[in-house]
Structures are given as structure tokens and as C-alpha cells.
Amino acid sequence: MQRIKNMYKTFTFCVSLILLNLFSACDFSCKKIYFNENEKYWITPYKKGDIEIFQSNLDSLKRDTIFILENTHTLPTGNCNPSVSNVDPEAYIIDYKYSHNGKMSDSNYLIQHVKESGLSLPVIRIYDIEFNGKTLKDTTVTLKNFGVQQCHVFSNFQDFDNLPDFKIKNFIWSKKLGLVQIKLHNGEEYELIKKQQSKKWILLPTGTTTDLGIWLNGKMVLYLGWFGKSEEWA
């Protein structure tokens, strides 16, 4: 009987030792992960209030405008659920609206960038077309107003077909400026020609209508509410 008790004690000790080593080998702490410097160029071109104007190569009067509404930066806090993930990542979300053919879109995200283990690529949504693949090509383009740019070419899309008259073939993303060219299947191209902050618009004559709103008594009234409410700009 004593021999059986000793064997049982030995067995339970061995099992406890194995479990202890197993749990020791597993790291259940919440790991904070951050972007490295060569991943931040996806985000740095955009600040809240930026306005970007794109012009057609077929008609200089055809212009689309992008408005950056928010640039939300989330830092890891160290709080995560180990049963789901033991990683708490740094993240950015850039929200925007765009004006196309004189109509303002609803707000949406332009970029969602969440740090992952290893190299992290963002999810980008341009004119209701989403890119979230892992393949992209490097290229160099020369812009009329911004010179030579080192860029990526995106051509692998999930198309939601919200703009049937604006079929995008690919778009060009500058490492310095962000989105710089949009190429359509019909051969038309839209190129970035101007980039500025919202309060730098030149004063137009009273009553002049623009993509943003209308100038009244020296102030611009954003009647389209692209910031989510009507605002006046001096």
C-alpha cells in the first residue's frame, strides 16, 4: 500500500512539474507592438483639414476633391484578452469625404492601419474601392506640380460598384504625398495638382459657389456639412 502511495505521489509530482513548465513556457502577458519608422509613411501625408484637388487629363475643368476629416491615432495600453490575442497594437484610422461630379460622398475611412507582427500593410479605400491585399508594385512617377515621386501601384481591388461611371483600373500612392493618381479603364487619369489645409482657401467674390460651399460676406459657409455640421471659415 505504501508503495502505491509513493508511486501516486511521484506521478502527481511529475504531472505538476510538467504543467508548471508548460505554463511557464507560455507568455500570457499583453504585448504592446508599435509601428517602425518605415511603416509610418502610409499615414504621415495626411492631417485633419487637408484638402486635395485632382484634375482630369482629358478636361482641365473636371476636378475631384478629397477632404481629410480625422486622423485618429490609437496607442497600445497593454490591456488585451489573452483568450483572443496577447497583442495590443498601435493603430491609425484616417476618415475622409470626396467630391465627385459636384456631389459630396458620405464619410468613410481612407486608411485603416493596424500594426501586425512583421511588416504591416494598411487597408485603403478609394472611391468605395478597397485594397487590402499583400501584393503591390513599386514605380516612379513624375507629377506636374510635385515632381518625381517614389510610389506604389495598387491594382487588386474589392469593388463595391458604387460609382459605375468611374471605373478605376489602378491608383498610384506616393510614399511622400499619399494618393497622387487615379487611372480609369477608359484611359482617363486624375492627378493630384494641389494639396493644402482648409483655412488656406483664397477669398472668392461673395456668392461664388465652390465644391466646399458658398462664400457669403467674406466667409465660406460649408452648406454641404463635410465636417458633419455647417461651419464658417474666415
Side-chain angles (χ1 to χ4, degrees), residues 158-226:
Q158 180 181 356
D159 190 347
F160 297 96
D161 201 29
N162 288 349
L163 293 172
D165 64 329
F166 201 73
K167 290 293 187 180
I168 295 178
K169 180 180 180 181
N170 56 47
F171 63 86
I172 312 297
W173 192 278
S174 164
K175 295 181 179 181
K176 181 179 179 181
L177 298 173
L179 180 66
V180 292
Q181 284 184 344
I182 303 169
K183 298 184 178 183
L184 307 185
H185 283 284
N186 64 3
E188 189 173 16
E189 299 179 5
Y190 281 75
E191 182 175 306
L192 178 68
I193 62 168
K194 197 168 188 178
K195 183 183 179 80
Q196 59 192 33
Q197 274 281 314
S198 56
K199 290 191 177 183
K200 294 181 181 178
W201 285 87
I202 59 173
L203 184 64
L204 300 176
T206 297
T208 301
T209 302
T210 72
D211 280 344
L212 293 177
I214 189 168
W215 285 95
L216 293 173
N217 301 321
K219 291 186 177 181
M220 175 171 279
V221 178
L222 302 181
Y223 63 85
L224 291 172
W226 60 280

Side-chain angles (χ1 to χ4, degrees), residues 75-90:
L75 287 169
T77 62
N79 297 321
C80 51
N81 185 350
S83 64
V84 178
S85 173
N86 68 337
V87 171
D88 186 14
E90 183 179 10

Side-chain angles (χ1 to χ4, degrees), residues 78-116:
N79 297 321
C80 51
N81 185 350
S83 64
V84 178
S85 173
N86 68 337
V87 171
D88 186 14
E90 183 179 10
Y92 288 88
I93 297 179
I94 294 179
D95 295 311
Y96 83 124
K97 288 187 177 183
Y98 61 85
S99 172
H100 174 68
N101 286 341
K103 296 181 180 180
M104 190 71 74
S105 72
D106 294 330
S107 61
N108 206 332
Y109 69 82
L110 175 65
I111 304 172
Q112 286 186 344
H113 201 190
V114 180
K115 175 60 182 173
E116 300 174 358

Side-chain angles (χ1 to χ4, degrees), residues 28-136:
F28 288 105
S29 62
C30 189
K31 182 181 180 182
K32 301 178 184 179
I33 57 174
Y34 298 85
F35 291 112
N36 54 48
E37 288 302 317
N38 65 1
E39 293 173 316
K40 292 183 178 180
Y41 69 84
W42 296 103
I43 303 299
T44 51
Y46 295 105
K47 296 178 176 61
K48 179 179 179 179
D50 281 353
I51 297 174
E52 298 189 340
I53 301 173
F54 293 77
Q55 180 177 285
S56 169
N57 64 328
L58 302 182
D59 184 349
S60 62
L61 297 180
K62 290 180 67 177
R63 296 185 176 186
D64 283 7
T65 309
I66 285 178
F67 310 96
I68 303 301
L69 306 181
E70 294 287 346
N71 186 331
T72 304
H73 181 202
T74 304
L75 287 169
T77 62
N79 297 321
C80 51
N81 185 350
S83 64
V84 178
S85 173
N86 68 337
V87 171
D88 186 14
E90 183 179 10
Y92 288 88
I93 297 179
I94 294 179
D95 295 311
Y96 83 124
K97 288 187 177 183
Y98 61 85
S99 172
H100 174 68
N101 286 341
K103 296 181 180 180
M104 190 71 74
S105 72
D106 294 330
S107 61
N108 206 332
Y109 69 82
L110 175 65
I111 304 172
Q112 286 186 344
H113 201 190
V114 180
K115 175 60 182 173
E116 300 174 358
S117 298
L119 181 65
S120 301
L121 290 175
V123 177
I124 297 175
R125 180 170 287 184
I126 303 293
Y127 285 70
D128 302 308
I129 295 177
E130 186 173 287
F131 174 89
N132 58 1
K134 299 295 184 181
T135 59
L136 59 152

